[in-house]
Amino acid sequence: MAMVTATISCSYPQLRYRPSPRCRRHGPAAATVAALATPRSEQDIVIVGAGVAGLATAVALRRLGVGAAVLEQGDALRAGGTSLTLFKNGWRVLDAIGVADELRPKYLRIQGMRMRSPGRDLREFSFDEEAPGQEVRAVERRALLETLASKLPPGAISFSSKLKSISEQGRAGTLLELEDGRQILAKIVVGCDGVNSPIARWMGFSEPRYVGHMAFRGLAEYADGQPFEPKVNYIYGRGVRAGFVPVSATKVYWFICFNRQDPGPKITDPTALKTEALELVRGWPSDLLAVMRSTPEGAVVRTPLVDRWLWPGLAPAASRGGRVVLAGDAWHPMTPNLGQGACCALEDAIVLARRLADAGADGAQAAAAMRAYEAERWARVFPLTARAGLVGALVQWENAAVCAARDGVVIPRLVRLGPFLEHTNFECDLLEPAPESP
């Protein structure tokens, strides 16, 4: 199975990163978040979106002594979704920004992987044997966001703050107008507003491309304890694949990916969602069906899978005017076939925070920092986005002969877990907290 691989290491030689003196003039007091409640305010750095990328960027900046205000359009943290599978690159970033140790005890460390067709076992892997040093855990999205948010000062996140418009104001910065009439003049805007990012659209990016697959996701609950070994379970059919992975002692995450020409109408009825998901895998292994049936109806979601390939010379720059920059899904939405969407958002956060902390919020240095961030991250995320898309296309084949070759030759004889997971090699130094500003 031909796949692009990528390995990257942060190019910071210190064991523990310390911000340059320049960044400390923009200490936590610089983000006067209380001013966001006024009709018009000014901020050094404003992060739009309190998802994984936005909150991680804010936490990383804070550890470097740089304040940032976070705008979230919802009235609370987005508790929707189920869980995120984080590989060792994601955990390296969480270690670096000081939140990993709060999450690890709550979630199971996954020991291996079992691959099956609906009728038979194909292959089983041990991470310790085939990918030493790998760390894989499925983490509830809600818990990850809450843990990140807990590292920010009270009021750092302004809820019910939906962006209405964005406009350049020359050397003064960028003007953000919110739906409720408030205006914020920001020296730097970090767009972390998700797959359907209005900021990315304003910067000239195309809408994310639907890849022809939909996904069901759910989170099963076992009040008396779930019965599964800590392994990722994959089951491959023709044009349909499914899987499940234990999250904690009482919860199991599952998914189904299936081909569909167009996304079709949105289904909001939770009973209908669960029924449709079960119908897709009728007659499949009983353990998968048991997990799905143990899922509360309100804990099932269905979403179209989309991506955006950042073709060199064709995609717009990740920053504009040295004042606005994108991170996470807002810049490079990718399909979940490698489990790297959240991991790459975390990587973006720490790289961008370091660049901005050294540059400060003003002038040419901030613009240069954004360009350096884009160059470093593009070399990482473009191959990963492409690879995730290609893997998805290969495993979603419906052709009987291709599926027979996959099940009889490719998975049992050719797949090697170590090389396949090389893209999770990402090293970054710990961010040592900067002294608080007086």
Side-chain angles (χ1 to χ4, degrees), residues 93-248:
V93 177
L94 294 176
D95 277 324
I97 63 177
V99 302
D101 286 343
E102 292 186 30
L103 291 166
R104 281 192 177 99
K106 302 175 183 178
Y107 299 102
L108 299 174
R109 183 163 185 168
I110 304 305
Q111 304 299 321
M113 182 185 300
R114 182 185 180 193
M115 306 173 82
R116 294 178 278 172
S117 71
R120 64 188 177 95
D121 278 11
L122 302 176
R123 188 80 175 273
E124 193 157 344
F125 298 94
S126 163
F127 286 133
D128 283 343
E129 294 177 3
E130 302 215 20
Q134 185 58 248
E135 181 176 7
V136 186
R137 301 173 200 265
V139 175
E140 291 180 75
R141 179 188 295 271
R142 170 194 53 79
L144 175 59
L145 296 183
E146 288 176 353
T147 304
L148 289 168
S150 71
K151 301 301 180 183
L152 299 176
I157 306 171
S158 175
F159 294 104
S160 300
S161 298
K162 186 175 182 179
L163 184 65
K164 179 180 180 181
S165 66
I166 179 171
S167 59
E168 296 173 310
Q169 303 294 305
R171 296 182 63 182
T174 302
L175 185 65
L176 304 175
E177 183 178 358
L178 307 185
E179 290 283 358
D180 61 9
R182 285 178 292 153
Q183 295 183 335
I184 304 167
L185 183 64
K187 293 180 180 177
I188 289 177
V189 174
V190 183
C192 300
D193 46 344
V195 171
N196 298 307
S197 165
I199 296 179
R201 194 178 306 121
W202 173 77
M203 291 172 64
F205 282 87
S206 61
E207 294 296 324
R209 175 185 68 99
Y210 174 59
V211 300
H213 319 316
M214 301 281 290
F216 280 100
R217 298 179 177 94
L219 193 62
E221 296 183 1
Y222 292 81
D224 297 325
Q226 53 86 7
F228 302 103
E229 295 180 358
K231 294 180 181 179
V232 180
N233 291 266
Y234 286 118
I235 307 165
Y236 298 94
R238 291 174 56 183
V240 182
R241 58 191 156 109
F244 64 91
V245 56
V247 175
S248 66

Side-chain angles (χ1 to χ4, degrees), residues 8 318-319 331 351 355 368-381:
I8 191 166
S319 62
W331 182 26
V351 173
R355 297 288 186 183
M370 292 180 187
R371 289 192 297 270
Y373 155 78
E374 177 179 14
E376 181 175 347
R377 295 302 299 152
W378 179 89
R380 171 76 163 158
V381 299

Side-chain angles (χ1 to χ4, degrees), residues 9-20 22-23 56-57 60-64 66 92-93 95-97 346-360 365 369-370 372-373 376 426-432:
S9 174
C10 292
S11 55
Y12 297 90
Q14 302 96 332
L15 177 62
R16 295 177 181 266
Y17 181 84
R18 295 178 181 272
S20 71
R22 185 189 305 123
C23 80
T57 302
L61 284 168
R62 179 168 170 76
R63 285 183 71 87
L64 295 172
V66 182
R92 295 299 176 271
V93 177
D95 277 324
I97 63 177
L346 291 168
E347 291 180 11
D348 284 355
I350 197 166
V351 173
L352 180 59
R354 281 170 161 157
R355 297 288 186 183
L356 292 180
D358 270 347
Q365 291 171 327
M370 292 180 187
Y373 155 78
E376 181 175 347
F426 178 89
E427 298 299 332
C428 51
D429 302 328
L430 300 180
L431 300 187
E432 186 170 291

Side-chain angles (χ1 to χ4, degrees), residues 227-405:
F228 302 103
E229 295 180 358
K231 294 180 181 179
V232 180
N233 291 266
Y234 286 118
I235 307 165
Y236 298 94
R238 291 174 56 183
V240 182
R241 58 191 156 109
F244 64 91
V245 56
V247 175
S248 66
T250 58
K251 294 185 179 180
V252 179
Y253 165 72
W254 61 268
F255 74 90
I256 300 172
C257 187
F258 62 100
N259 295 347
R260 182 166 177 158
Q261 187 172 1
D262 60 74
K266 185 176 182 179
I267 299 176
T268 57
D269 178 15
T271 302
L273 281 172
K274 189 172 177 180
T275 300
E276 182 182 339
L278 284 165
E279 185 65 24
L280 277 170
V281 291
R282 190 197 321 179
W284 281 39
S286 59
D287 52 359
L288 170 67
L289 301 180
V291 169
M292 295 173 65
R293 293 188 180 111
S294 299
T295 305
E297 291 182 346
V300 179
V301 297
R302 189 187 77 165
T303 54
L305 301 186
V306 300
D307 65 12
R308 180 191 291 129
W309 292 26
L310 302 173
W311 292 104
L314 298 178
S319 62
R320 178 165 168 173
R323 299 289 185 181
V324 183
V325 63
L326 297 174
D329 285 344
W331 182 26
H332 48 75
M334 65 179 69
T335 55
N337 300 301
L338 300 178
Q340 286 296 300
C343 292
C344 280
L346 291 168
E347 291 180 11
D348 284 355
I350 197 166
V351 173
L352 180 59
R354 281 170 161 157
R355 297 288 186 183
L356 292 180
D358 270 347
D362 293 309
Q365 291 171 327
M370 292 180 187
R371 289 192 297 270
Y373 155 78
E374 177 179 14
E376 181 175 347
R377 295 302 299 152
W378 179 89
R380 171 76 163 158
V381 299
F382 176 62
L384 274 178
T385 304
R387 183 181 180 190
L390 292 172
V391 168
L394 288 171
V395 296
Q396 289 296 134
W397 272 86
E398 298 181 11
N399 182 276
V402 173
C403 291

